[in-house]
């Protein structure tokens, strides 16, 4: 988010508020922004996510083949559509 703000509206980091403070893109600000505008909440990974499956290669291959089939069948040409796939 910080990079996007610097790119789109860099003056926001140089503008002073009425009380003399400067804009700061803190973690709490980002979380509030994401929740209020996108209804998105930050979550931490569980300990179970840190364990590797015994059949990891097979599961990865199945996931890859499902993605390839979906991309092919639905004619998905933009990689942006494949963000946040578990």
């Amino acid at each position: 988010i910080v990079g996007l703000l610097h790119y789109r509206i860099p003056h926001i980091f140089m503008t002073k508020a009425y009380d003399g403070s400067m804009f700061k893109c803190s973690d709490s600000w980002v979380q509030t922004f994401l929740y209020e505008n996108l209804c998105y909440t930050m979550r931490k990974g569980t300990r179970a996510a840190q364990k590797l499956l015994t059949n990891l290669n097979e599961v990865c291959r199945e996931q890859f083949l499902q993605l390839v089939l979906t991309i092919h069948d639905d004619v998905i040409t933009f990689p942006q559509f494949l963000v946040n796939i578990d």
Side-chain angles (χ1 to χ4, degrees), residues 8 40 49 51 59 85:
R8 298 278 175 135
Y40 182 83
K51 297 177 184 174
V59 171
I85 295 176

Side-chain angles (χ1 to χ4, degrees), residues 51-70:
K51 297 177 184 174
L52 295 178
L53 299 172
T54 56
N55 62 341
L56 178 65
N57 290 334
E58 182 182 336
V59 171
C60 288
R61 180 176 162 78
E62 289 285 325
Q63 177 67 20
F64 172 74
L65 293 174
Q66 286 178 348
L67 286 172
V68 168
L69 185 63
T70 301

Side-chain angles (χ1 to χ4, degrees), residues 38-51:
L38 304 174
C39 297
Y40 182 83
T41 57
M42 305 293 274
R43 300 192 187 270
K44 293 184 179 180
T46 61
R47 293 206 182 265
Q50 297 175 3
K51 297 177 184 174

Side-chain angles (χ1 to χ4, degrees), residues 1-10 13:
I1 289 182
V2 176
L4 187 60
L5 291 175
H6 272 291
Y7 178 75
R8 298 278 175 135
I9 48 174
F13 293 98

Side-chain angles (χ1 to χ4, degrees), residues 27-45:
D27 288 342
S28 61
W29 183 87
V30 170
Q31 288 177 352
T32 302
F33 175 83
L34 290 174
Y35 182 75
E36 290 178 356
N37 293 286
L38 304 174
C39 297
Y40 182 83
T41 57
M42 305 293 274
R43 300 192 187 270
K44 293 184 179 180

